């Protein structure tokens, strides 16, 4: 079968992948569509260290082909959106409703794939850039059959992360102000999360002026073109003179993390969603924190995927959550190199690979 494999030096499409049958508590899914996220590119460029060879992809949707023993919530033929969260469901964190903190879901990659007898790792417990993948049952969330697969694929990473950061982690409230630094795939979902939450002033900041229209479509009330002003934070302060209630950094740049913190009003929250290099450090003025400011990390939108994916699918069907509009271009998997180049250079909000 076809898939995208990173061998430690380059990523390329192969056609001789094999995947094992599902075991107890597992599901075999035929992937229909998979979004190309910057996390996949970060494996290729080394920003996210991951052992090769690995089958890439972690944002996908497809159809259940087979289930292992003990799986009852999905059956063959069900349409599912896949999460990356292979949590155990039994530890203290899972029991508290914090599956993103499950230690069994972090840093323990399996090897369900093989190629020519050589085992390959699974990226993010998912590997959606393959015609078929095996995931834990908890990762497969049933969705309505009428959701387009290209749109449904995006729920499992970009939507869960961006919208979840707003609703689950920051808990943005009605009437509050939000600044979103970076209007890429994650930033757009933060923008629409802020809109859904009822924020009244939502400022998008990006160095690409072409993103203004889509940022406003997703919920931005203001747009600051960081390429056209000498001081983007000052431009934001003209809109929010006392600062923002919430600032989300969606780029992964330590300089922008500092800006997010400095843009906060008293009692404001800076939420870090972008992924800098793993050894990079950020700084801030400590004295400012005594105004009850908070710097918050956020893993995967602090999501509970079985609940949240179903919720977001319903919000989409009601016209409140935008999914189709996230899909800038659809590529056959054979065009992975072009899709990756478009994503790297910011030409798309989300590119989607199909099989």
């Amino acid at each position: 079968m076809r898939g995208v494999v990173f061998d430690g030096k380059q990523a390329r499409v192969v056609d001789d992948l094999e995947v094992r049958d599902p075991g107890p508590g597992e599901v075999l899914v035929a992937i229909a569509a998979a979004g190309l996220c910057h996390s996949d590119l970060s494996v290729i460029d080394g920003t996210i260290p991951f052992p090769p060879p690995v089958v890439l992809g972690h944002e996908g949707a497809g159809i259940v082909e087979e289930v292992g023993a003990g799986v009852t919530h999905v059956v063959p033929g069900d349409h599912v959106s896949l999460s990356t969260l292979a949590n155990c469901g039994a530890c203290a964190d899972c029991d508290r409703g914090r599956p993103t903190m499950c230690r069994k879901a972090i840093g323990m990659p399996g090897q369900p794939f093989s190629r020519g007898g050589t085992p390959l790792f699974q990226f993010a417990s998912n590997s959606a850039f393959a015609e078929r993948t095996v995931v834990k049952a908890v990762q497969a969330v049933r969705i309505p059959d009428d959701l387009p697969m290209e749109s449904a694929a995006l729920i499992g990473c970009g939507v869960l992360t961006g919208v979840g950061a707003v609703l689950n982690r920051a808990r943005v409230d009605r009437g509050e102000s939000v600044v979103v630094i970076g209007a890429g795939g994650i930033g757009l979902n933060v923008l629409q999360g802020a809109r859904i939450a009822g924020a009244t002033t939502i400022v998008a900041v990006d160095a690409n002026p072409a993103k203004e229209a889509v940022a406003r479509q997703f919920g931005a009330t203001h747009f600051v073109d960081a390429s056209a002003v000498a001081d983007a934070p000052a431009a934001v302060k003209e809109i929010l003179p006392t600062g923002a209630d919430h600032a989300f950094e969606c780029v992964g740049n330590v300089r922008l993390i500092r800006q997010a913190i400095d843009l906060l009003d008293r009692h404001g929250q800076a939420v870090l969603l972008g992924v800098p290099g793993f050894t990079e450090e950020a700084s801030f003025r400590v004295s400012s924190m005594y105004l009850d400011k908070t710097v918050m990390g956020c893993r995967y939108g602090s999501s509970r995927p079985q609940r949240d994916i179903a919720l977001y699918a319903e919000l989409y069907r009601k016209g409140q959550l935008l999914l189709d509009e996230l899909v800038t271009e659809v590529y056959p998997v054979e065009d992975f190199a072009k899709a990756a180049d478009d994503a790297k250079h910011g030409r798309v909000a989300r590119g989607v690979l199909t099989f």
Side-chain angles (χ1 to χ4, degrees), residues 14-354:
V14 303
D15 61 6
D16 56 352
L17 274 181
E18 296 182 359
V19 65
R20 63 169 173 78
D21 294 334
E26 294 181 334
V27 178
L28 176 68
V29 178
I31 299 295
L36 176 54
C37 173
H38 276 276
S39 293
D40 299 299
L41 302 181
S42 293
V43 173
I44 297 172
D45 67 21
T47 302
I48 296 178
F50 203 91
V54 55
V55 180
L56 295 176
H58 64 286
E59 187 180 68
I63 299 174
V64 175
E65 283 200 345
E66 185 179 349
V67 301
V71 177
T72 59
H73 76 289
V74 292
V75 298
D78 280 348
H79 289 208
V80 292
S81 178
L82 301 182
S83 86
T84 67
L85 202 58
N87 60 296
C88 72
C91 68
D93 284 306
C94 287
D95 192 52
R96 292 188 186 106
R98 302 187 308 199
T100 56
M101 295 297 103
C102 175
R103 285 171 171 79
K104 293 186 178 181
I106 303 174
M108 303 176 70
Q111 293 179 305
F113 298 96
S114 62
R115 185 173 177 235
T118 300
L120 284 77
F121 285 104
Q122 184 173 39
F123 180 52
S125 303
N126 189 308
S127 290
F129 293 169
E131 289 187 75
R132 290 173 181 79
T133 190
V134 170
V135 298
K136 290 186 66 172
V138 71
Q139 296 176 252
V141 184
R142 186 176 179 181
I143 57 174
D145 291 355
D146 59 358
L147 256 68
M149 285 292 188
E150 292 85 355
S151 300
L154 305 185
I155 301 177
C157 178
V159 177
L160 278 180
T161 299
V163 178
V166 174
L167 301 183
N168 300 328
R169 187 70 169 122
R171 298 183 182 274
V172 173
D173 203 356
R174 291 166 295 177
E176 292 187 322
S177 58
V178 172
V179 173
V180 181
I181 301 175
I186 298 299
L188 291 176
N189 281 297
V190 174
L191 289 170
Q192 70 171 332
R195 170 178 52 78
I196 291 169
T200 50
T201 304
I202 305 172
V203 184
V205 184
D206 201 283
N208 183 352
K211 292 184 177 179
E212 179 173 0
V214 69
R216 290 184 180 276
Q217 179 183 23
F218 274 73
T221 59
H222 300 75
F223 184 87
V224 172
D225 177 5
S227 71
V229 296
D231 188 344
V236 174
K237 283 293 184 73
E238 290 182 8
I239 302 166
L240 296 169
T242 63
D245 295 311
H246 308 272
F248 295 81
E249 201 281 344
C250 305
V251 179
N253 180 294
V254 294
R255 178 180 61 85
L256 298 179
I257 289 173
R258 170 61 184 268
Q259 289 186 11
I261 296 169
D262 290 344
L263 284 170
L264 295 177
D265 195 358
R266 299 180 179 191
H267 207 272
Q269 299 180 141
V271 184
L272 311 186
L273 294 177
V275 182
F278 272 42
T279 60
E280 292 192 58
E281 298 181 358
S283 64
F284 56 88
R285 187 175 294 110
V286 176
S287 60
S288 71
M289 305 306 290
Y290 297 112
L291 294 173
D292 283 2
K293 296 182 182 181
T294 303
V295 180
M296 307 173 73
C298 184
R299 171 175 163 78
Y300 204 40
S302 301
S303 298
R304 287 185 276 175
Q306 287 288 337
R307 177 201 67 175
D308 290 350
I309 289 177
L311 169 63
Y312 299 156
E314 186 60 25
L315 290 176
Y316 165 79
R317 297 178 84 190
K318 290 182 176 180
Q320 299 177 43
L321 183 82
L322 305 182
L323 291 179
D324 303 340
E325 295 81 358
L326 283 169
V327 182
T328 310
E329 189 162 348
V330 177
Y331 311 81
V333 68
E334 288 80 9
D335 287 346
F336 171 77
K338 182 180 187 303
D341 189 66
D342 286 347
K344 181 178 179 180
H345 291 94
R347 301 185 191 108
V348 292
R350 256 312 189 260
V352 175
L353 302 175
T354 57

